[in-house]
Every structure is written in C-alpha cells, then in structure tokens.
Amino acid sequence: MRFESVLAHRFGPFRDETLELAPGMNVVFGRNEAGKSSWHAALYAGLCGMRRGKGAMRKEEKRFAERHKPWDGDEWETGAIVALEDGRRVELRHDLAGRIESSAEDTSVAGRDYSSEILYDGAPDGSRWLGLNRRSFLATACVRQADILKVRDDPESLQEDMQRAAATAGVDQTAAAALQRLEEVLRERVGSTRAPTKPLMTTARRVAEAHEALEAAREAHRDFQERRAEVETLERAARDARRRVEAAEAALASVEAEALAERLREARALHEEFPEGAPHPVPEGGGLTRAVTEALTTWRNLPAPVALTGSSAREIEERIEGADAELAAARAVVAEAAVAEAEARLASARELQALFPDGGPRVSPEEDARLGEIRDALRAWEALPAVAAPAGRSVEELEKELADLDERRRAPPTEGPAARPAMWLAASAVVAAAGLALALLAPDSRSAGLILFAVGAAGVLSHRFARARTDRSEIALALDVRHDSLRSELASARAERQRYENGLRLRSEAVGRIRELADPADAAVESATEPEALADALRRQVESRQVGRQKAARLGAQWDELQGLLAGSSFDALVAETDRLREAADALVADAAETALADARARGITRGALGELERRTAERRRTWSDERAGRLAAETRDTQRSVRAADAAKKLGEAGERVGVSAEDPEDLAAALEQWRAGRERVLEEAGERNESWDRLQQLLGERTLDEFADEVERRRLRAARLLDRSGADAGGARAGRVTEATLEDLKREAETAREEVLRAAGQLTEREHHLPSVADAEDALAAAEREQARIARLKDTLDCTIGFLEKAQERVLRDIAPILTRTVLEWLPGVTDGRYTGCRINPENLLVEVRTPGGRWRSAELLSHGTAEQIYLLLRFALSRHLTREGESCPLILDDVVGASDAVRKQAVLRTLHALARSTQVILFTHEDDVRDWARENLTGSDARLIELAGRRIESGENELAAAT
C-alpha cells in the first residue's frame, strides 16, 4: 500500500487542502505552526478513520478530537487516496464528526465501495488491507511526535497480530483468537465464582436453593402441625378470658352500687346544712386584695441601697484621656527623631551610591567555581609526565620474527654437521646483543633484557667448550632459547606500547579539558595549536581574572557600607521609606496636644523611654478602665434603685387610697396595708368553705333531686345482683378482688385480643394449608438442579483443558516470532548505532528490547540514552510493521520528528536506513530540522522521492497558504 495523497476537507486548520506524496521516501519540512502534526494526524485519520461504537468517546479519542477538530464549524472530515499492491486505487473518505457518511470507493470503477470489506469497530479502517487495525497501525507504522517509546505502553494490542504473522502467514486465525473465543464461551456459558449471573454460579445457587426449598417444604409441614395445636390452645385461652370479663363486670357493678350509696348518704348530710337553699355571695373585693398584694410585693423586693465612695466615672475618664495625650505626644517626638535618623542615612547612602554608577563590584560564586576548575585543570596538565615513544623494535616486528622462529622450530634441520656450531654461536650472540639493547634502551624492560643477555652470553661461552660435532638436540635447544627470549621481548614491547598509549590518552583528555575551560573569545586560544601554548593562554586568563578580583576587593568595604545602609532594599525604597516616616511623623504631630508635645520635646523622649511609657500607660489604662467600669455599674444600680423605690412608694399610696389607709412614711403605710390584707383573707376563707360545701352538694346531685338520686342507687344494686347471678361469683368474693374500670378494660382488651388471635391463627392455618409446598416436587427439583450443575462442571473442565493446550501453543508462537523480529532489527542496528551495538534480543510478550554492549553484556534499551533508546525502538517499529503486514502488501511508515533526539552522525545513519527502506516501503517523514531538509535536497533526487516544504500559516486571517513541494 502507498499513499498517493491525503485530503484535508475539514481537519484542524485545513480547509479543502491536498498533500501529494511520492511512492518512495517523502520528507515533509516545516517550521513550528506550519501544520506538520496536523498533516501527520490527517494521514492516520484519512486511512484508519475513527471508531464508531456504543458509549462515550475514549480518552485518547477525546484528546485526538480536542487537538485536530476544526476550530470553527461542526464539520470534521478527511480522506486519502491509496494504491494497493493488487492494483486497486481507492479513495477513503471519513466523516469524523458524525461517523456515518464514510466510504472507501474505487477510483476506477464507478459505484464500487469497499467499506464492508474493511469495517472495524463499526467504521471503515484502511489498515485492515494490511492485516492490521487502527490501534496496531498506530502502535507500529504511525509514529507521533515524541511517541517512539510508547510501543512499550500497550504491547497487548499487538499480540494477536504478532501471533497471526508467526503462525498463519497473515490469515486472520490465531491461537489468541481461538483463546479469546474459548474464553468468551467459558465466560458466557460457564462463568466463574466472581460472575454471579453466569451458569457456574447460577447452577450452584439453584442447587442450594433446591436444597433450601426441600428443607423449607419439610419444615412447612412440621410448622403446620405445630400451628394447628397452637390454634386449639388459643381457643381455650379466649374462652377463659371471656369468663374473667363477665366476673369482673359483676364485681365492678357491685362496687359501683356501694360507692353510689355512700355518695347518697354524703348528699343527705350536706343537704341538711342548707335548709334555706344556696349561701349568700361574698362582697366584691378581689381587685383590692390583688392591688394591695402587688404594692406590698414591689416594696418588699426593692434592692439594698448602694454606697458610692471615691472618684466619679467622669473623673476617672479624664485621667485616662490625660495618659493617652501624654503617650501620643511621646510617639510624635520619637517619630520626629526617626525621621531625622532616616534622612541622615539617606544622605550617606546618596554619597556612597555616587561611587557606583554601574553597580557594585560583584564576584559571583559561579566565577569562583570556574576559576577553581581552571586552576585544577592547569595543575593536572603540569603534573602529567612527558610521554616518550617506545624504543626498540615494534610489536609487529617481534610478532613476525616469533612466527618465523615457530616455523623454523617445526621444520626439520637442513644444515650439515659442520654448520651447526656456527649457527649456535650466531644465535647466542644475537640473543646477547638483543638483551643488552633492551636493557639499555628500555628502562621498564631492563630485567627482561638482562635475562636475555645472560642467556646469550652463556651460549657464547658454552660454545667454546662444546664438542666439535653438534647434533639435532643442540639446534633445538638454541631455537627454544631464542623463542623464550622473543616472547619476553614481545611482552615487554606490548607493555611499553600500552604505557605510551595511556600517556597519550591522559594528555589528550587534559588538553580537551583546558580547551573546554578556555575563553573562546580569546584570540590566543583560537590560534594555539600546541598544548603548552594553550596552557599559557589559560594561565594569562587566570591572571586577568585575579586582577579583576583584587579591584573588586578594594571597593568592597564601601559597597558593603552602602548595602548596610540599604538593608537589603534599593535606594528608591530607602527614599520611599524616609518619605513614609516623614508623613507618619507629621500625622502624629498633628494629632498630639500642643502642651503635651512641648513637654515631651523638652524631656527628650527616646525610643526606649517610649516603650516604658507605653507599657506603664497600658497598665494604668487597664486599671483605670476596670475602676471606671465598676463605678459606672454602681452609679447605674443606684439610679435604678431610686427609680424603683419611687415607683413602689407610689403604688403603696394608690393602694392605701383604695382601701382607706394612709400614713406619711412608706414603711408605716406598708404595715397598715399588711393588717388590712390579713383581715380580708379571714373573711374570704370562711365564705370559701361554705361555698365549697354547696359546690360539693351540687356535684353529688348533678341535675337530679335527692329522691331521684336514691332511685338510681336502687337500680344499680339490682343490676349488680343480676350480673353476679350470671357469672356464678358471690358478692363477697367480687368485692375482695378490688376490680376497677381500668382492670375491666384490661380484661376486655385481653379477651378481644385472644378472640382476634384465634381468628388470625385460624385464618393463617387455612391459608398455609392451601399453599403448603409439596415435598415430592422439591425433591424432583433438587435432582434436576444437581444434574445441570454436573453438566456445567464437565463443560468447564473441558474448556480449561483446551485453553491450557492453546496457551502452550501461543507461547510457542511467541518463541517463533522473537528470532524473526531480532533478525530484522539486526539488519539495521549496527548502521544506526554506528556499530556500537551488534547484538539484540526481543521479548515479544512485552516488546522489551535488550542489546549487547561491546563488552558482551546485555542491557535493556530503555536504560540507554534517550536518543539511543528511540533509535532502537524505531527499528522495532519498522520490524513490527514489516512482519505484521499481510503477505503481498507493504505498510507505509508515517513518522513525525523521529530523529530529533539523535546526534548528527546517527541522524545521518537513521536517514540512510529510512532511504533504504523506501525502496520497498513508502516512508513519510515530518521534520522541522534544517539538516534533515538539506539531506533530503541532496539525496531525494529520483521520481519516487520528494521533499515537501510547508509554508507558514496565517491563523488570524483564516487563510491557508499552499505548501511548496520540490
């Protein structure tokens, strides 16, 4: 598949715009706000569309809509024209707002719509032609800005695609799909102990319910028999309660008749006290008694007189005001002194500030730290020893000579008997000379050189006393000695070369550190080619900075004095503070009394004296305020008592006038009123007693006459006798029971309750008999539920066993695809990482990548630098897109700023890798980097490649500028 163009009908900032693309590599260059990310999103949405499913939008769909939905209007539509490998050319159109009017029409055949062929989650998805879906396409081939590593966030979305690619060569049947279907069957037709609505738990509940139903049926039969016995017991209790009610009614009637006869005797006695009828009424006088009583009560309840001694409240108030005036004057005087002090400090600060028109001498901590680093670097350079080149023969020469000697040792001797002594002498001389040269020229290898010299000299001396005839063993001995000598010399040469290389490396690091710390603006630094010249330039910079620090130290005392005057603030703040103090002092002087102010100025109040005065004034003010409050309360109580005493005396006079009693003194008047009230109460008491007797008589008779009352008593006696006869109780026993109306009502309620209990229990018993469950039916239901439970258990065992087999197969599939992904990544890994990492391994289950370091250790790619991790996971995305794509199709790569974290060398390597991939796969790279654009201008020269440069967008005018393509 290849994109021919993307159509932004209504998408983000675009309105009916088209981006034409080449079939190979495309580099889309643009500055910020040029629309790169919008075109990248339009490519993805133009191919895959958006999910159309039930429920609210997912979180990632909401973010996509918030970023790329048009800023005005309700329309949101994009599309793309793609060319498939089977020759079809399809125009995809996606209605992203309504998600209804989406299509995938053949551009060559009218009316041919392929939407049903690529439906996924309710909407057309062009990535289905690749064997992917919109989720896996976004996780592999479509790389958004700064999202390279997010392929690790959701590896589960790629598991099914990886299994399909590894197991079935691109068809849509995988072990994961089979596992999913089996798990769906297990979930829907069996369920688990955590799914209460599924068959596993519902059958268990049915068995339990059947057990409960059987036990309930049996319990219901037992309960029915028990309730029948209870109904019979309740019927007997109701009959007994009715008999008790009748006996109580008879007893109560007898008691009432006796009580009524007693009231008749009392009425006859009271009637004899009033032979002439009702008593005469008491003269009116209740109002006078109440008036006298109220007047006396008011007079007796007066509070005790209040004793007023000492100063009045007004005098205390004047003392407080005098103390406040004295304190205000003292504060004004202290404020004037503070203004004078501030003006003097301001004048001094103004003189010192004139010395520093450009600010004070400053030596920052960063400058001190940098100066210390420069000195450390110079000391490190001066401490390095001189590095001399290794003396003597090179390692390569010694290795060649040792190899030739090994060849000679393995070859049979060709010299005759006469030549062997000469060869022995020459070999010994050569060994002695080489050892002596090594000891003299290479001090570090002096021991090895002396050993070689001793061996060679021993060989020369032994030759003098050797036999004239040499044999093969003597030649072999000489070669062995020479071999050992060469090996020792080679080891010394290698150690010497390692020491020399280490010395050069240390000097190179020291020179690099010096050049890093040197001031690049210094011409001497730029022109220095020798390390010592560079160090001299850095020493001069140190001396220059030291001179500046000495000058700053000379002005430091005056600067510190200025800073002390400013107290951490600016000069303008000091001026403002002085003005504020002056305004505050003027306000205090204006508020102070002139006499107190003159007195305070004469005394010369200081700040310390002001504090003592404030403390003393506060103490006196508290004391005088408490004294004034107490005096005010006492004066108020005295005034209130005087008012109440006058009112009470007035009431006594009014009451005396009404009853005819008078006196000059209120106390004498109160005593006379007390005597009047006592005599009045005696008269009223006697009249009240006769009225009470008359009222009692009227209460006993009611509306009846005395004869009618006697007739009613006789009728009550006859009724009581009849009730006693009906209940079978005797009169003496009934009276002994002390039955009352309340007792009778209780007995009636008990009887009625017993009757209702009988009726209710009999009705419930009849109802239970109609709805009594069948024990036989409950036993049949239990057997059926147990059979269904056994069937579900067998189905669960079968599905669990099948799922276990398929999970093992799925693990084998993951093991099969891991080498495929690894080989694909290894095709590009050495080139992209500049040969630093040549081995890798991938866990397909969680997409974790590990690479092999030069030392042979495995390390997770996520623990490497951010740029290296992005490069490795970018290669993993390329590998996934290649191997997850259906056979016969190629998956285009849509990349947004994927080289931003790479350095210049690796960036070129990644671009070369993308260019190579573009021979078989369309690559669309969005970038804002100038060096990537320059690379594209140099390398994208064929007709199958294109550099597209996006112009800036004028958002405020709503106009869209066209993109320039080259």
Side-chain angles (χ1 to χ4, degrees):
M1 175 190 290
R2 285 174 170 80
F3 285 96
E4 292 187 358
S5 62
V6 58
L7 313 171
H9 302 293
R10 293 289 186 277
F11 192 88
F14 302 133
R15 297 293 182 276
D16 295 325
E17 293 193 30
T18 302
L19 187 66
E20 302 288 342
L21 300 168
M25 184 162 183
N26 298 266
V27 175
V28 183
F29 172 82
R31 302 295 181 188
N32 291 336
E33 301 293 335
K36 300 186 301 301
S37 296
S38 296
W39 277 119
H40 182 275
L43 274 167
Y44 168 71
L47 177 65
C48 299
M50 290 183 68
R51 178 183 69 91
R52 180 190 174 199
K54 295 181 179 179
M57 296 175 66
R58 295 171 180 166
K59 183 168 65 175
E60 62 271 14
E61 293 172 344
K62 288 183 180 178
R63 284 201 303 267
F64 187 86
E66 290 170 356
R67 292 194 61 186
H68 301 297
K69 199 169 183 179
W71 299 342
D72 52 359
D74 297 330
E75 296 183 0
W76 187 20
E77 185 177 352
T78 186
I81 297 178
V82 297
L84 303 179
E85 296 297 334
D86 59 6
R88 288 183 291 176
R89 187 170 176 268
V90 182
E91 179 179 359
L92 292 155
R93 195 177 185 98
H94 296 283
D95 174 17
L96 302 178
R99 307 187 193 180
I100 297 176
E101 298 181 3
S102 300
S103 62
E105 297 181 351
D106 196 314
T107 60
S108 302
V109 180
R112 180 69 62 84
D113 194 328
Y114 301 110
S115 298
S116 60
E117 182 179 327
I118 57 172
L119 277 179
Y120 182 74
D121 270 355
D125 180 4
S127 65
R128 297 299 294 163
W129 280 317
L130 301 173
L132 303 175
N133 55 57
R134 58 178 62 92
R135 187 178 178 188
S136 56
F137 182 81
L138 183 62
T140 56
C142 182
V143 183
R144 292 182 294 198
Q145 187 175 9
D147 278 0
I148 297 177
L149 298 179
K150 288 202 174 172
V151 68
R152 286 272 291 117
D153 292 348
D154 190 15
E156 293 81 5
S157 64
L158 301 175
Q159 294 301 311
E160 184 174 349
D161 296 314
M162 285 193 292
Q163 294 170 24
R164 182 177 63 249
T168 60
V171 299
D172 289 331
Q173 298 300 322
T174 65
L179 277 172
Q180 182 178 0
R181 293 189 184 94
L182 284 173
E183 288 174 353
E184 288 176 356
V185 172
L186 182 62
R187 186 168 55 251
E188 296 299 327
R189 298 180 60 183
V190 176
S192 67
T193 56
R194 295 186 299 274
T197 61
K198 300 304 178 183
L200 183 64
M201 292 303 295
T202 56
T203 54
R205 283 199 303 273
R206 287 172 187 161
V207 170
E209 290 169 357
H211 275 291
E212 293 175 359
L214 178 59
E215 184 60 29
R218 292 171 177 167
E219 182 64 26
H221 278 268
R222 289 193 295 270
D223 184 63
F224 180 76
Q225 298 300 329
E226 292 175 358
R227 287 182 178 273
R228 177 179 289 173
E230 290 176 0
V231 169
E232 295 174 354
T233 303
L234 289 174
E235 289 175 347
R236 288 194 297 271
R239 288 193 295 271
D240 295 339
R242 186 60 201 168
R243 282 194 294 270
R244 287 194 297 272
V245 169
E246 292 175 352
E249 287 177 343
L252 185 59
S254 178
V255 171
E256 288 177 349
E258 290 294 334
L260 197 60
E262 181 64 27
R263 293 178 67 185
L264 177 59
R265 287 191 291 273
E266 182 183 359
R268 284 174 176 168
L270 290 174
H271 188 269
E272 291 175 355
E273 294 179 6
F274 300 98
E276 297 178 356
H280 298 291
V282 180
E284 180 62 31
L288 292 176
T289 304
R290 284 193 300 272
V292 170
T293 302
E294 289 176 0
L296 289 172
T297 302
T298 303
W299 178 258
R300 300 303 181 195
N301 290 336
L302 284 176
V306 179
L308 296 177
T309 59
S311 302
S312 67
R314 181 57 193 162
E315 293 172 347
I316 298 172
E317 180 67 26
E318 290 174 355
R319 289 204 300 269
I320 293 174
E321 291 175 354
D324 290 343
E326 180 185 3
L327 180 60
R331 285 173 176 168
V333 171
V334 171
E336 289 177 340
V339 170
E341 181 182 350
E343 289 176 346
R345 185 168 66 252
L346 178 62
S348 300
R350 184 176 285 111
E351 292 176 2
L352 290 174
Q353 192 180 31
L355 299 177
F356 304 100
D358 298 327
R362 294 182 295 273
V363 179
S364 65
E366 294 79 6
E367 183 69 18
D368 288 341
R370 185 171 181 82
L371 189 60
E373 291 178 356
I374 293 174
R375 288 172 175 166
D376 292 342
L378 287 174
R379 282 195 293 269
W381 167 255
E382 293 166 356
L384 288 176
V387 181
R393 291 185 294 172
S394 66
V395 173
E396 291 75 11
E397 293 174 350
L398 292 173
E399 288 176 344
K400 184 176 182 306
E401 184 177 351
L402 184 61
D404 294 342
L405 185 60
D406 287 337
E407 186 67 27
R408 290 176 57 194
R409 292 174 66 198
R410 288 192 295 271
T414 56
E415 296 82 354
R420 290 192 186 99
M423 291 177 59
W424 172 261
L425 179 61
S428 299
V430 169
V431 171
L436 183 60
L438 185 61
L440 295 176
L441 298 178
D444 294 340
S445 304
R446 181 172 298 170
S447 299
L450 292 176
I451 293 173
L452 290 177
F453 176 75
V455 172
V460 172
L461 294 175
S462 64
H463 178 267
R464 182 176 181 181
F465 305 101
R467 293 174 298 178
R469 184 184 178 197
T470 60
D471 56 10
R472 184 174 180 180
S473 62
E474 293 174 341
I475 297 173
L477 178 61
L479 293 176
D480 290 341
V481 172
R482 178 58 180 163
H483 183 270
D484 294 339
S485 174
L486 284 176
R487 290 190 61 181
S488 299
E489 185 177 357
L490 178 60
S492 299
R494 286 174 176 169
E496 182 66 16
R497 185 167 70 178
Q498 182 65 33
R499 181 190 61 77
Y500 176 69
E501 290 176 352
N502 290 339
L504 290 179
R505 178 179 56 78
L506 293 175
R507 291 179 69 83
S508 175
E509 292 175 354
V511 169
R513 180 60 176 165
I514 290 174
R515 189 172 295 279
E516 177 185 352
L517 295 172
D519 188 359
D522 192 349
V525 174
E526 292 295 329
S527 60
T529 58
E530 293 297 328
E532 192 58 40
L534 183 61
D536 291 340
L538 195 60
R539 292 189 188 98
R540 288 193 293 273
Q541 291 182 11
V542 171
E543 293 173 358
S544 175
R545 295 188 184 192
Q546 190 62 35
V547 170
R549 289 172 59 83
Q550 293 173 357
K551 179 181 178 181
R554 287 195 300 273
L555 295 175
Q558 294 174 328
W559 176 257
D560 293 340
E561 182 181 357
L562 175 59
Q563 297 305 308
L565 291 173
L566 295 179
S569 61
S570 64
F571 182 79
D572 293 338
L574 183 59
V575 172
E577 178 63 16
T578 303
D579 294 340
R580 186 189 65 78
L581 290 174
R582 187 180 296 109
E583 292 175 359
D586 293 343
L588 290 173
V589 169
D591 293 339
E594 294 182 359
T595 304
L597 186 62
D599 181 62
R601 285 172 177 167
R603 286 188 291 146
I605 298 295
T606 63
R607 190 179 298 275
L610 175 63
E612 178 62 24
L613 180 60
E614 288 177 340
R615 183 191 62 77
R616 189 170 64 252
T617 302
E619 291 178 355
R620 290 190 297 177
R621 185 180 180 84
R622 284 194 297 270
T623 303
W624 291 343
S625 296
D626 294 341
E627 184 180 351
R628 183 185 61 178
R631 178 66 183 202
L632 283 175
E635 291 177 354
T636 301
R637 289 196 304 274
D638 182 65
T639 302
Q640 292 175 350
R641 186 190 182 285
S642 299
V643 172
R644 290 179 61 184
D647 183 62
K650 181 180 179 182
K651 288 184 177 180
L652 286 175
E654 293 174 351
E657 291 178 0
R658 294 182 64 182
V659 299
V661 177
S662 64
E664 292 295 332
D665 187 64
E667 283 292 339
D668 296 339
L669 182 59
L673 289 175
E674 283 285 357
Q675 292 177 359
W676 181 89
R677 186 177 65 173
R680 181 69 178 178
E681 286 178 352
R682 286 194 297 272
V683 172
L684 292 176
E685 184 177 355
E686 293 173 355
E689 291 176 355
R690 287 185 59 80
N691 286 333
E692 287 178 0
S693 298
W694 176 256
D695 291 339
R696 176 59 179 165
L697 175 60
Q698 298 305 312
Q699 181 183 3
L700 292 173
L701 294 177
E703 298 296 329
R704 301 166 295 192
T705 63
L706 192 60
D707 294 335
E708 291 173 347
F709 193 9
D711 293 340
E712 183 178 352
V713 170
E714 186 62 27
R715 286 195 300 271
R716 292 288 186 93
R717 284 176 176 171
L718 293 176
R719 177 176 175 272
R722 287 195 300 271
L723 289 175
L724 286 173
D725 291 341
R726 188 172 61 187
S727 63
D730 60 274
R735 285 192 295 270
R738 296 183 179 274
V739 178
T740 63
E741 287 285 348
T743 305
L744 178 60
E745 290 299 324
D746 290 341
L747 291 173
K748 286 181 178 180
R749 282 195 294 271
E750 290 177 3
E752 182 63 23
T753 301
R755 188 181 70 82
E756 291 176 355
E757 287 267 345
V758 171
L759 295 176
R760 181 181 57 80
Q764 290 179 352
L765 186 64
T766 304
E767 184 67 20
R768 283 178 177 274
E769 188 175 8
H770 292 159
H771 297 88
L772 197 63
S774 172
V775 175
D777 292 344
E779 291 174 346
D780 293 342
L782 175 60
E786 289 175 342
R787 288 194 299 271
E788 179 63 16
Q789 186 183 31
R791 186 187 69 81
I792 294 298
R794 289 193 300 272
L795 177 60
K796 183 178 184 302
D797 293 340
T798 303
L799 291 174
D800 288 341
C801 183
T802 306
I803 289 172
F805 289 144
L806 285 176
E807 286 177 345
K808 293 179 180 178
Q810 186 180 24
E811 292 176 2
R812 288 196 296 272
V813 167
L814 292 176
R815 287 197 297 271
D816 292 341
I817 198 171
I820 298 173
L821 293 176
T822 301
R823 285 195 301 271
T824 305
V825 172
L826 282 177
E827 292 180 19
W828 309 307
L829 181 63
V832 169
T833 61
D834 198 21
R836 183 172 180 82
Y837 303 106
T838 58
C840 78
R841 57 190 182 190
I842 302 171
N843 185 348
E845 186 173 358
N846 55 15
L847 297 183
L848 177 66
V849 180
E850 293 181 343
V851 295
R852 188 169 55 223
T853 62
R857 295 181 61 187
W858 290 96
R859 189 170 178 82
S860 172
E862 295 179 350
L863 302 179
L864 304 177
S865 68
H866 184 73
T868 303
E870 283 199 350
Q871 293 153 14
I872 293 173
Y873 275 98
L874 182 63
L875 296 180
L876 176 61
R877 284 177 176 261
F878 295 165
L880 289 169
S881 64
R882 171 184 291 184
H883 292 289
L884 299 184
T885 301
R886 181 179 285 119
E887 186 176 358
E889 280 289 352
S890 62
C891 180
L893 301 175
I894 310 173
L895 313 174
D896 188 6
D897 272 338
V898 297
V899 295
S902 302
D903 56 32
V905 175
R906 291 196 177 179
K907 186 181 296 183
Q908 295 292 324
V910 173
L911 291 173
R912 288 194 297 272
T913 301
L914 292 175
H915 199 190
L917 283 170
R919 299 189 186 100
S920 58
T921 298
Q922 185 182 34
V923 177
I924 305 169
L925 172 63
F926 292 85
T927 184
H928 68 280
E929 301 185 52
D930 294 333
D931 51 354
V932 177
R933 178 192 59 187
D934 297 339
W935 177 89
R937 286 175 176 172
E938 295 177 4
N939 294 275
L940 303 185
T941 56
S943 60
D944 61 343
R946 176 175 295 179
L947 169 62
I948 302 172
E949 298 189 44
L950 302 176
R953 309 190 65 80
R954 295 194 301 273
I955 297 176
E956 64 277 4
S957 64
E959 298 178 0
N960 297 325
E961 297 185 3
L962 297 177
T966 59

